[in-house]
């Protein structure tokens, strides 16, 4: 009987240790998916990310970063897309990152963004307009 109780206690302790949430700042770092590489950083009480690499980031010469030509603000169309902070206002609440804004250099639109750390090295984000169900999911792996 004592062995059974001890086994149950050990099992419950091990389950609770696995169930502990990751720190909100665990999202900080460099992440890569098939199409993009970003660097997430803390911006006050929220999180943001800058675009380090994209599969279509460079001109035909393979070296010159493209400009932000689709930006709705004509004054910003001459800026480089490389290094551009394109994710802003991401807030950590109840184990998820929510209420973020994702600026797309591909079409010049701004989308809503949410995300969740699956573990310390795996991040899933979803960009959407209006309803999350109609958005696109990206699965990221930590690279640094």
């Amino acid at each position: 009987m004592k062995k059974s109780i001890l086994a149950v206690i050990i099992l419950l302790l091990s389950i609770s240790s696995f169930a502990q949430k990751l720190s909100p700042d665990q999202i900080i770092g460099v992440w890569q998916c098939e199409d993009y590489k970003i660097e997430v950083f803390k911006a006050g009480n929220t999180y943001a990310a800058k675009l380090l690499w994209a599969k279509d980031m460079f001109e035909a010469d393979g070296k010159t970063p493209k400009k932000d030509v689709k930006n709705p603000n004509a004054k910003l169309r001459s800026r480089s897309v490389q290094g551009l902070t394109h994710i802003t206002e991401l807030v950590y609440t109840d184990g998820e990152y929510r209420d973020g804004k994702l600026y797309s250099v591909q079409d010049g639109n701004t989308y809503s963004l949410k995300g969740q750390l699956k573990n310390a090295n795996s991040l899933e984000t979803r960009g959407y307009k209006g309803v999350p169900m109609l958005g696109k999911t990206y699965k990221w792996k930590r690279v640094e």
Side-chain angles (χ1 to χ4, degrees):
M1 179 72 165
K2 288 182 182 180
K3 288 183 181 180
S4 297
I5 293 172
L6 182 61
V8 169
I9 291 172
I10 290 172
L11 180 62
L12 290 174
L13 287 174
S14 65
I15 290 172
S16 68
S17 68
F18 285 118
Q20 289 178 354
K21 292 181 182 176
L22 296 168
S23 159
D25 285 351
Q26 193 73 36
I27 196 171
I28 295 171
V30 178
W31 298 87
Q32 187 163 0
C33 69
E34 187 176 327
D35 298 334
Y36 305 99
K37 185 176 184 181
I38 62 172
E39 182 176 5
V40 178
F41 56 93
K42 190 128 187 193
N45 293 327
T46 66
Y47 298 90
K50 63 182 175 180
L51 185 61
L52 300 177
W53 174 87
K55 67 178 182 178
D56 58 354
M57 176 180 279
F58 297 97
E59 298 292 347
D61 67 5
K63 297 177 184 177
T64 307
K66 289 183 179 178
K67 302 294 182 195
D68 190 13
V69 295
K70 304 247 175 141
N71 196 304
N73 182 340
K75 293 178 181 178
L76 298 177
R77 291 182 186 153
S78 63
R79 69 181 178 174
S80 172
V81 298
Q82 187 174 30
L84 181 72
T85 298
H86 72 300
I87 294 174
T88 58
E89 301 176 31
L90 204 53
V91 178
Y92 184 81
T93 307
D94 298 326
E96 280 190 341
Y97 299 89
R98 302 178 183 167
D99 302 325
K101 304 288 181 232
L102 168 66
Y103 170 69
S104 170
V105 296
Q106 281 78 22
D107 61 19
N109 289 316
T110 299
Y111 298 89
S112 296
L113 183 75
K114 66 180 192 168
Q116 186 174 26
L117 284 169
K118 297 301 184 180
N119 61 52
N121 295 308
S122 179
L123 170 66
E124 190 171 290
T125 60
R126 187 158 188 85
Y128 58 96
K129 264 277 201 227
V131 182
M133 186 185 329
L134 301 176
K136 184 170 183 177
T137 298
Y138 289 93
K139 295 183 182 212
W140 305 85
K141 296 291 178 199
R142 185 182 300 277
V143 293
E144 286 183 22

